[in-house]
Amino acid sequence: MQSSHDKKLDKLDPFYRRSLSKQKTSAEIINEARNALRTIRTERPFTPREDQRKLFGPASSRTADNRPPSSFSLHASSFESSDSRPISGMRLSPLELKPKVLASLSKEDEASISFPKPPVDPVKIRRVSSARARLFKGNLLPDKIFHLDESKNQLKSEDTIIIRDSSIKVNGICLTELNSTGHFNSNNPQLTHDGDLNETSEQAILKGKATSTAAHLRSGGDLTKRRARASSFLVSTNKNTLESDKEVQRSSEEIETETETEEEEAFWSTRILPVLHELEKEDNIENFCVACTQLHQALEEGSMLGKRFKKRSVLLKTLYKLVDVGSDLLSLKLAKIILALKVSGKNLLNVCKLIFKISRSEKNDSLIQNDSILDSLLEVLRVEDLHTNNEAFLYCMGAIKFISGNPRFLNEMISKGVVEILLHLMKQINENMGKSGACSSNSGHLLVQMTATMRNLVDVPLARCKLLNNNALPDLCGVMEQYANDKDVCTNIARILSKLSSCHDCCAALADCSRCYALFLSLINQYEKKQDLVVRIVFILGNLTAKNNQAREQFSKEKGCIQTLLSLFNTYYEMDLNSMKRMDEEEEKNKKQKQPSEVEDVLMKVIRVLANISVHPSIGAALAADHQAVALLITTLEYKSIDECEELVINATATINNLSFYQVKNSVIQDRKLHIAELLLKLLMSSNMDGILEAVRVFGNLSQYDEICDFIVQKNVYKFMIALLDAKHQDVCFSACGVLLNLTVDKDKRVILKEGGGIKKLVDCLRDFGPTDWQLACLVCKTLWNYSENVPNPLSCFGDEDTNTLLVLLSSFLDEELALDYSFDRDLRDYHKLYWETEFKPVAQQLLKRIQSHHTFLEPLTFPSF
């Protein structure tokens, strides 16, 4: 008669049980590979390196017409000699000029009107042009501004405005009369200057004089009216000019009128000027570069870098001319000096383009590193205004992106604060977009370069730490959300997050970003057939749901999450099926040796997400009852062999294994379990050990059903399980022993253990793996207990040799000091001790007691060698 404790042992648990432990230990993490509900690992999607360095790669969604060029010509003439006024980037509104209809004129008036004339003789045009050039080359513009009060006083001091045949004198300025074609009179082309008047006022007076002359002809030459009109015109002209150019005049005056000290003049003459003369007469590249290095050192020593340097324009003109030399090394040295002089507007854009052009060639990376041009580029991003210099930022960022593609630069870039600079710019773009409510195409172009750079940086652990410390992951998701219609930006950020989510801390931080789940589902729906983006998003979701049950639950709460995944699964299954139909037999043979296709890669990642979320009880039970989900998994095993795509088949099998754990009434797995068992036979017959292991695991769950046990016996699957006990692989032995345990529940099937030396192999597993794997040891003891149940003499079923071995092993394993390996770390030691006490020890004691009760001789116990 059996004791109550023996009856408890006779009550067999299912092969796979849910873990009851609440506190995660390192031992439990290792043990997860054993559990029925397992998550799946996979490789991060591969990003091929681009052959050419461009702003936008060949996979870009931007067409050539709506993206800035990567190739362009750049010459000295591209630069502006004057750098006082930055480009605003705003289009000027056209002047609202309305033509006036002339009233009826007298014959004299009609005679005075000039009609269009034939083109002027080219010789005359050249003569006028040269006269104009001589006019503006002369020192005509005054050093001081002509003020409104002075103009009034001078107007009062003038008695008359004298009009002669060839000139008009206003306030001491003698102007040549305009002829009817609008050119200066050829008889008197010179303009004399007697007073103080700025250039804008002079041009306005010329227009006023022409207007007043025509009015004089029409009105009969009323001198009093003309004097009043001229006086009023002059005052209003000066007033408008001063208002419109007030800021520019003030900034120009601060720099241009600033007098140099004797020391500065002496430093210029002795240190700077000789180098400039060298640059003008040199024709050797090496000497040019040496001179530029000396020039930069001298300017830095004399504190002449920046904008507040009186002879800055002279220096820049000399540097701009050297751009045409065409040497990359020289151009980098020139660019470094030009940027140090704080150019702006078009010149800032051109110097950034110059560096971008040089950085496109990988062979120039060493030149860039030696000249420390990276510091100058980062200073542009740190100091200059993003809104005003958006295009300059684009090419500056493009050059930095190219540099970041070289691993030698990464640590230097991170130490110089590039991560913080990128995050600051990203926040600026987010803020600007929030204010305007629309995505700017220019900002999108810039974001592509920024995110591509960050993608390269996150390979370095320090960069990942900086992103975590700056709470950058929500910002990245925010940019992705705002620029959801920009596939290039979304793809780059997906690449960043796929790298970050492979790191435990970053993955946990991303999982805490609650809005990311809805964002990822939305992008999958929007870009379902864009493989390069979708595969990375699904990979990220797989990482988030791999070890975080809260992430699984939060993801499952998003509307349409399962439907979105199954729709994606079905889309790429059909694409893969169609591609296989187009292949002939030769291509089919070659495919077996190739890496997974892009379509297969998406399928692998989608199935992985399904497997991971099925660990959650409510999601797993729902998926087990979902006809479409189970049908797609079964179809995958039907049309794809493990030789064609190993990971895809193994992932599908592992997902079926997870779903087979849930014994719910409407489980589709239960309804189709026999068909699934037929498909698993293909894996058992393969030479792929990972595939065999997954198939055995599924049989471990399904063998709890009588129909499957009968199938295993009829198809001789049990022989395969007994053979696997010799695999010397703990996980394989564990899974195979589990199937045998479930078979021995049926008394009629216990006899199968005698075939193929099953008992001896079980004892060998106990001896080989017992001290280091108490789960496996417990499973072996339970199987032997089932086998020896209701047997009058256990010796008859075990045999003398196996009985003696069992007596030695069990007695040794029940000695705590001998059985437990204290070389493990504390978590593993505590785990082993707990499992040994609660699981293995009770079963082993009862089995040992059963064997001893029928064993008539006892030999001295010896500690076995493991």
Side-chain angles (χ1 to χ4, degrees):
M1 184 174 178
Q2 290 181 325
S3 66
S4 60
H5 191 72
D6 292 342
K7 292 180 180 179
K8 289 182 180 178
L9 289 176
D10 287 340
K11 185 179 180 182
L12 296 172
D13 294 328
F15 171 41
Y16 288 121
R17 293 173 298 169
R18 300 178 190 176
S19 176
L20 300 177
S21 176
K22 295 182 179 180
Q23 182 180 2
K24 279 279 187 179
T25 65
S26 59
E28 290 172 321
I29 294 174
I30 294 173
N31 187 45
E32 282 184 354
R34 288 273 175 88
N35 291 340
L37 303 178
R38 296 186 314 107
T39 57
I40 300 175
R41 296 179 181 179
T42 187
E43 295 293 328
R44 184 167 54 83
F46 173 69
T47 302
R49 187 177 179 183
E50 296 176 359
D51 295 334
Q52 294 181 338
R53 292 181 170 183
K54 295 182 178 181
L55 283 174
F56 306 95
S60 173
S61 61
R62 288 164 166 77
T63 62
D65 296 334
N66 66 350
R67 66 185 183 193
S70 295
S71 300
F72 44 79
S73 59
L74 197 64
H75 306 286
S77 58
S78 305
F79 293 84
E80 293 179 340
S81 58
S82 175
D83 192 56
S84 60
R85 217 170 187 179
I87 297 175
S88 65
M90 296 180 64
R91 187 183 297 275
L92 296 177
S93 301
L95 297 175
E96 297 180 358
L97 296 177
K98 296 181 180 180
K100 295 182 178 180
V101 181
L102 296 176
S104 56
L105 301 174
S106 62
K107 293 182 179 181
E108 294 179 0
D109 291 336
E110 291 177 356
S112 66
I113 297 176
S114 299
F115 293 95
K117 293 183 178 181
V120 184
D121 184 71
V123 178
K124 293 183 179 181
I125 293 177
R126 284 194 295 271
R127 184 162 60 245
V128 173
S129 299
S130 61
R132 185 180 293 110
R134 289 194 300 272
L135 168 66
F136 289 105
K137 281 185 179 178
N139 187 20
L140 299 179
L141 298 181
D143 291 333
K144 63 180 182 178
I145 300 175
F146 184 75
H147 295 287
L148 181 61
D149 295 338
E150 295 177 5
S151 66
K152 290 182 179 180
N153 294 335
Q154 291 178 6
L155 281 171
K156 291 179 181 178
S157 64
E158 287 291 329
D159 294 331
T160 59
I161 297 178
I162 304 170
I163 298 178
R164 294 186 178 91
D165 295 337
S166 61
S167 64
I168 177 170
K169 187 172 183 180
V170 179
N171 222 15
I173 301 177
C174 183
L175 304 177
T176 305
E177 183 180 8
L178 293 172
N179 60 22
S180 59
T181 62
H183 294 285
F184 284 111
N185 191 316
S186 60
N187 296 329
N188 190 6
Q190 301 297 322
L191 176 66
T192 61
H193 174 259
D194 294 333
D196 294 329
L197 199 63
N198 61 33
E199 181 182 354
T200 307
S201 300
E202 291 173 359
Q203 294 173 354
I205 292 172
L206 287 174
K207 294 178 182 178
K209 194 266 175 185
T211 305
S212 62
T213 302
H216 163 71
L217 294 173
R218 290 193 298 270
S219 62
D222 191 330
L223 185 61
T224 305
K225 293 180 180 179
R226 289 199 305 274
R227 182 183 294 119
R229 281 196 300 270
S231 176
S232 174
F233 172 79
L234 185 60
V235 173
S236 63
T237 299
N238 278 280
K239 181 177 180 180
N240 293 335
T241 302
L242 290 173
E243 290 294 333
S244 62
D245 292 340
K246 187 176 181 181
E247 295 299 325
V248 176
Q249 289 172 348
R250 182 183 296 116
S251 61
S252 300
E253 186 179 6
E254 288 176 357
I255 298 175
E256 298 298 334
T257 63
E258 185 177 308
T259 58
E260 286 184 319
T261 63
E262 293 182 1
E263 292 81 2
E264 289 175 337
E265 185 64 38
F267 190 87
W268 168 266
S269 302
T270 57
R271 296 292 304 278
I272 307 298
L273 206 54
V275 180
L276 294 182
H277 291 158
E278 284 292 321
L279 290 173
E280 290 178 352
K281 67 181 182 180
E282 279 292 348
D283 57 357
N284 182 277
I285 300 296
E286 185 177 349
N287 293 339
F288 272 135
C289 295
V290 172
C292 284
T293 302
Q294 294 174 348
L295 178 61
H296 191 278
Q297 293 173 350
L299 290 170
E300 190 173 13
E301 183 181 340
S303 300
M304 293 180 173
L305 296 175
K307 288 189 175 183
R308 304 195 65 81
F309 171 37
K310 187 173 180 62
K311 293 186 173 63
R312 174 172 170 268
S313 58
V314 177
L315 179 59
L316 285 172
K317 286 179 182 178
T318 304
L319 298 176
Y320 294 155
K321 291 178 182 178
L322 295 175
V323 172
D324 286 339
V325 173
S327 165
D328 290 343
L329 177 59
L330 175 61
S331 295
L332 283 177
K333 293 185 177 295
L334 293 173
K336 188 174 181 180
I337 300 175
I338 293 171
L339 286 177
L341 291 171
K342 304 299 180 185
V343 294
S344 58
K346 185 177 180 180
N347 292 337
L348 176 61
L349 169 60
N350 285 329
V351 73
C352 289
K353 280 187 170 182
L354 180 62
I355 299 174
F356 172 86
K357 191 174 183 180
I358 297 169
S359 64
R360 287 194 63 190
S361 176
E362 196 170 343
K363 66 181 181 181
N364 289 330
D365 286 355
S366 57
L367 302 180
I368 293 173
Q369 189 172 31
N370 294 335
D371 266 321
S372 302
I373 199 68
L374 177 63
D375 296 325
S376 302
L377 294 173
L378 294 179
E379 184 68 12
V380 171
L381 300 180
R382 189 182 291 112
V383 174
E384 299 296 337
D385 179 63
L386 171 62
H387 179 70
T388 307
N389 303 289
N390 195 285
E391 191 176 1
F393 271 50
L394 173 67
Y395 286 100
C396 176
M397 199 66 243
I400 294 175
K401 178 187 74 173
F402 296 153
I403 296 171
S404 69
N406 190 329
R408 291 183 300 160
F409 286 92
L410 293 179
N411 288 324
E412 178 188 357
M413 295 177 72
I414 295 169
S415 64
K416 291 180 177 179
V418 68
V419 174
E420 291 82 358
I421 292 173
L422 290 177
L423 293 178
H424 178 70
L425 288 176
M426 195 176 296
K427 288 181 179 179
Q428 275 189 278
I429 294 174
N430 270 346
E431 291 172 359
N432 293 339
M433 192 270 180
K435 293 177 182 178
S436 62
C439 296
S440 166
S441 59
N442 291 333
S443 297
H445 298 330
L446 180 58
L447 277 171
V448 173
Q449 313 309 312
M450 292 168 56
T451 51
T453 305
M454 194 175 293
R455 178 196 66 204
N456 295 333
L457 294 172
V458 294
D459 288 330
V460 182
L462 181 58
R464 297 196 291 267
C465 290
K466 286 178 176 287
L467 290 174
L468 282 178
N469 294 336
N470 288 277
N471 197 29
L473 297 182
D475 291 336
L476 286 169
C477 291
V479 173
M480 208 177 195
E481 188 174 6
Q482 291 182 345
Y483 285 81
N485 293 325
D486 193 324
K487 177 182 171 291
D488 294 346
V489 173
C490 292
T491 302
N492 280 346
I493 295 179
R495 285 172 174 164
I496 295 170
L497 296 180
S498 67
K499 290 185 177 183
L500 292 177
S501 63
S502 301
C503 171
H504 179 267
D505 292 338
C506 297
C507 187
L510 182 60
D512 291 336
C513 184
S514 58
R515 64 178 178 177
C516 74
Y517 303 101
L519 170 63
F520 293 151
L521 289 171
S522 173
L523 290 173
I524 290 174
N525 289 323
Q526 183 175 352
Y527 296 103
E528 188 176 58
K529 294 188 178 180
K530 302 296 182 181
Q531 185 273 343
D532 56 338
L533 174 56
V534 167
V535 71
R536 287 167 175 83
I537 293 176
V538 180
F539 174 76
I540 297 166
L541 286 173
N543 290 344
L544 292 174
T545 56
K547 299 255 178 105
N548 192 328
N549 207 47
Q550 185 178 356
R552 297 171 192 139
E553 185 174 353
Q554 195 163 356
F555 175 74
S556 67
K557 290 180 180 179
E558 295 296 337
K559 184 178 180 181
C561 65
I562 301 298
Q563 290 80 357
T564 297
L565 291 177
L566 294 181
S567 173
L568 187 66
F569 192 167
N570 187 67
T571 298
Y572 279 82
Y573 155 69
E574 291 178 352
M575 291 169 62
D576 191 37
L577 200 61
N578 291 334
S579 66
M580 291 180 65
K581 289 179 180 178
R582 291 193 298 267
M583 297 171 62
D584 55 26
E585 294 182 1
E586 188 63 31
E587 290 176 335
E588 186 71 24
K589 292 179 182 178
N590 294 335
K591 184 183 177 184
K592 294 181 181 180
Q593 309 300 324
K594 293 181 180 179
Q595 293 293 325
S597 67
E598 292 181 347
V599 174
E600 290 172 333
D601 200 18
V602 174
L603 289 172
M604 292 185 300
K605 270 58 174 180
V606 173
I607 294 175
R608 176 186 178 228
V609 177
L610 292 173
N612 291 351
I613 62 176
S614 65
V615 175
H616 192 282
S618 61
I619 307 174
L623 284 174
D626 191 303
H627 287 270
Q628 185 183 11
V630 175
L632 286 169
L633 291 169
I634 292 175
T635 304
T636 302
L637 297 182
E638 290 174 340
Y639 88 96
K640 189 75 68 174
S641 71
I642 196 167
D643 293 329
E644 292 172 343
C645 188
E646 176 183 338
E647 186 177 344
L648 177 58
V649 173
I650 290 176
N651 285 3
T653 308
T655 307
I656 291 175
N657 175 57
N658 282 2
L659 299 183
S660 65
F661 174 79
Y662 298 100
Q663 299 181 11
V664 292
K665 292 181 179 180
N666 54 348
S667 172
V668 182
I669 295 289
Q670 292 183 22
D671 295 341
R672 306 189 65 179
K673 55 183 175 290
L674 284 174
H675 181 55
I676 293 172
E678 291 282 356
L679 295 172
L680 294 176
L681 284 179
K682 292 193 303 181
L683 284 178
L684 288 177
M685 300 304 170
S686 72
S687 59
N688 188 298
M689 186 55 69
D690 291 330
I692 291 172
L693 177 58
E694 288 301 331
V696 174
R697 281 172 172 156
V698 180
F699 273 116
N701 278 345
L702 296 182
S703 59
Q704 297 178 63
Y705 301 100
D706 293 337
E707 300 95 317
I708 299 300
C709 288
D710 295 338
F711 176 88
I712 291 173
V713 174
Q714 293 170 6
K715 300 291 184 179
N716 293 322
V717 176
Y718 69 92
K719 294 181 179 181
F720 200 83
M721 300 300 168
I722 292 174
L724 288 176
L725 295 176
D726 279 334
K728 304 302 179 183
H729 188 290
Q730 285 178 257
D731 287 337
V732 174
C733 291
F734 180 86
S735 300
C737 188
V739 176
L740 296 174
L741 170 62
N742 288 341
L743 289 175
T744 56
V745 173
D746 188 346
K747 297 178 182 180
D748 297 333
K749 294 183 175 64
R750 291 172 183 172
V751 68
I752 64 174
L753 287 182
K754 288 185 177 181
E755 299 184 28
I759 298 299
K760 180 174 175 53
K761 290 179 181 180
L762 286 170
V763 174
D764 290 342
C765 283
L766 181 64
R767 181 191 61 205
D768 294 339
F769 303 122
T772 57
D773 193 338
W774 295 118
Q775 275 188 302
L776 177 55
C778 182
L779 209 57
V780 171
C781 289
K782 284 186 176 182
T783 305
L784 294 175
W785 175 268
N786 285 357
Y787 177 72
S788 61
E789 185 188 14
N790 297 327
V791 176
N793 186 359
L795 297 178
S796 62
C797 61
F798 291 144
D800 291 342
E801 183 181 353
D802 291 334
T803 300
N804 289 334
T805 304
L806 281 172
L807 287 171
V808 174
L809 291 175
L810 293 174
S811 299
S812 301
F813 291 167
L814 288 172
D815 187 331
E816 182 176 344
E817 293 297 326
L818 295 175
L820 295 180
D821 188 346
Y822 288 93
S823 63
F824 291 125
D825 63 62
R826 184 172 181 178
D827 281 345
L828 281 174
R829 185 169 68 247
D830 292 344
Y831 166 76
H832 275 269
K833 184 177 180 180
L834 178 63
Y835 198 93
W836 178 84
E837 289 179 345
T838 59
E839 298 290 336
F840 173 78
K841 186 177 179 179
V843 177
Q845 284 176 337
Q846 293 302 317
L847 181 61
L848 180 61
K849 183 179 177 181
R850 174 178 289 180
I851 296 174
Q852 286 176 338
S853 65
H854 295 84
H855 195 43
T856 57
F857 62 95
L858 291 174
E859 297 180 356
L861 296 179
T862 58
F863 184 73
S865 59
F866 299 117

